[in-house]
Amino acid sequence: MCGIVGYTGINNAVDILLDGLSHLEYRGYDSSGVALMAEDKINIYKAPGKLSNLIDKLKEQDKKNITSKTGIGHIRWATHGLPTLVNAHPHSCTCGGLTLVHNGIIENYKEIKDELESKGVKFDSQTDTEVAAKLIAQNYAMTKDLVSAVSQTTKKLKGAWAFCVMHKNEKETIVATRKNAPLLIGVGDKENFLASDIPAIIKYTKKAIYLNDNQIARVKPNSIEILNEDGTLAQNKIEYLPFEPMALSKMGYKHFMLKEIFEQPDVVRNILQDKLHDEFNKISLDDVKLDKNRLKEINRIQIIACGTSLHAGFVGKYIIEDLTGIPTDVEPSSEYIYRNTIADENTLVIGISQSGETADTITAIKQVKQKGAHVLIVTNRKESLLARLSDSLFHVNAGIEVSVAATKSYLAQLMSIYLFAIYMAETLDINPKKVQEIKHELLTLPAKLEIVLSNAPKIRELAKKYSGYKNFIFIARGINYPTALEGALKLKEISYINATGYPAGELKHGPIAMLDDTMPVLAILNEGMVYDKVMSNCEEAYARQAKLIGVANFIDDKHKNIFEDYILIPQIKDMVSPALNIVVLQLLAYNIAEYLGKDVDQPRNLAKSVTVE
Ligand code: M6R
């Protein structure tokens, strides 16, 4: 959460900082601010709420007169203190000569604050960040060197941070450091950049240096000096950034979310082109370091993830257990880290994360690595912290996803899990018939996804009809139970409507008490093992006057009349059906939220990368 940027060079810093922040708004939008180095002082501009408020404020102050060439900026997702002006970053020392922006949480800020207050230091905000500004300033007063002051300070801090710090005496200089929070240095010509994430700087440079935990960088227009924790000079390599500025455009769609939903056939095509060409040849996965001997040693699999990625993990359990017979557990990372989990060198732990930055998942993965488990990371960001922690890597390659609500990355995660399960079964020489069947189904997916998307106008009509309801229940069984969870999450997070995903068979054990004609029940049905069972649960809901909406590849004639509405998807085997069903639910959620006038791409209280535990 929170996004930070920095610029020092020959161009106007404020434009570059504001542009960079606009590409980090997915990380938070509670407030924003910039600090700009002037002749003999640092000027700070902040505003609560969205970045547009800061831009308006700067316009009022006549931005043309702001000509600074060095500055830092911040976009906030509030952790400590309300989303107010006073809590907005940058935060400064009492004299105003030193200022900084921070992403992360300083866990021991209270004790540091108490200590500083007892010495007479006054605080303006309720943030954890301000203690770092005050502490660095105190250390700077002694050392007169910003790198040393930052280094001394971070040694006292506990938690996670990425900092960009400026002092008025150190012209054209930004000092940056990080621990368990992302920060990269964009390398330019007579100019350098800092950012929490690539989109903020990709327009300006394709070259970057990633900082390791506890390294400190002194960044100037013509130089980047990086020191290791022990003070020795580091030689981080320059890497080439993986994506095009084009990916950051809505390409004519009203929202990024809609664009990303419609990109899904191509996302699947790309993955297939890369890894699965036909039903007959074995899949090879270059970055998966599990050969037959190692796979034979694996006797349990644990999948850990959060939110939408967790739902992909639930689908993964069905696929992996069915194809390989290896017992597979799935757990939210935030639960996994607070119990004595059983993992050893015979355990394969799969961490799934779109961003590769989710703090809970990072902590969980660090824990299991210490236990000797083999770690496979499934992520959309192959340069992320999680990817760097992996023993094996599956880059889902969905392209940059801007909308806070995950859509195409979910489908790409499902594809990755199908392919990885197939890889395991093929490597272990088991279940060839099932493997071939699933491969066949996967190869038909892009065309079937196009058909589902062509139903968008009908789904939009449904959305209009149902947008007035305050509560929804989504039901399904088997491999589509996670689809019900994910569909409900999509609706909740962007429309703020209360939606719950339930295993259809559980309805009668409690939730059925809530059913009447004010509660639509959306049922996911696929011809196959559980079709009749889900249909019985639909009958039960119908008998309680619930409005039934079906998402199905088949509804038999004698049952059609119990559905108020239904959307038919193309024929597909049960095992692969989550990849089609979810698209209907994404479109339904999108259209309801859009019809209600919600902020679809930036829903309230959320952020795309959740970098706090
Ligand atoms: O980047 P990650 O996949 O680790 O993120 C996990 C969740 O925060 C994320 O899926 C979240 O639930 C999204 N808002 C879902 O749309």
Side-chain angles (χ1 to χ4, degrees), residues 314-426:
F314 284 132
V315 178
K317 174 182 167 71
Y318 288 88
I319 305 164
I320 293 171
E321 287 190 342
D322 200 35
L323 283 191
T324 70
I326 305 175
T328 303
D329 298 315
V330 190
E331 197 169 340
S333 314
S334 54
E335 289 299 315
Y336 188 92
I337 50 189
Y338 294 112
R339 62 186 186 82
N340 188 15
T341 47
I342 298 160
D344 58 24
E345 54 283 355
N346 297 327
T347 311
L348 166 63
V349 175
I350 307 179
I352 309 177
S353 172
Q354 187 285 129
S355 62
E357 269 190 37
T358 300
D360 290 319
T361 308
I362 290 173
T363 307
I365 291 297
K366 283 184 175 167
Q367 278 180 12
V368 299
K369 275 182 85 78
Q370 277 175 1
K371 295 181 177 178
H374 186 96
V375 169
L376 165 70
I377 297 295
V378 177
T379 181
N380 196 27
R381 303 297 295 272
K382 63 175 187 232
E383 71 293 342
S384 62
L385 285 179
L386 271 171
R388 284 156 196 262
L389 288 172
S390 66
D391 299 311
S392 290
L393 184 66
F394 202 121
H395 176 216
V396 308
N397 208 4
I400 180 95
E401 188 176 65
V402 178
S403 175
V404 166
T407 53
K408 63 174 180 171
S409 64
Y410 177 71
L411 198 60
Q413 288 169 347
L414 293 188
M415 288 300 294
S416 310
I417 290 163
Y418 285 119
L419 295 178
F420 178 66
I422 292 170
Y423 167 83
M424 283 198 289
E426 285 182 337

Side-chain angles (χ1 to χ4, degrees), residues 466 520-523 538-539 541-542 546-550 562-565:
Y466 289 96
V521 172
L522 187 147
C538 289
E539 290 270 21
Y542 179 67
K547 301 251 174 319
L548 264 180
I549 310 166
I562 69 169
F563 288 89
E564 175 85 10
D565 291 287

Side-chain angles (χ1 to χ4, degrees), residues 185-254:
I185 306 171
V187 182
D189 181 19
K190 300 193 192 73
E191 58 183 357
N192 289 309
F193 307 81
L194 287 139
S196 302
D197 199 1
I198 301 169
I201 57 169
I202 191 71
K203 209 194 251 179
Y204 309 100
T205 180
K206 295 203 110 197
K207 292 190 287 183
I209 296 171
Y210 288 90
L211 283 182
N212 298 328
D213 272 359
N214 295 316
Q215 287 187 323
I216 302 189
R218 191 193 314 266
V219 181
K220 296 181 171 204
N222 290 308
S223 66
I224 297 166
E225 180 195 356
I226 300 175
L227 299 179
N228 294 315
E229 196 175 358
D230 61 6
T232 55
L233 206 58
Q235 300 289 347
N236 298 27
K237 66 176 191 298
I238 295 182
E239 298 184 28
Y240 283 85
L241 296 178
F243 55 79
E244 298 296 328
M246 186 79 151
L248 303 174
S249 143
K250 286 190 201 141
M251 307 289 283
Y253 287 94
K254 187 164 181 192

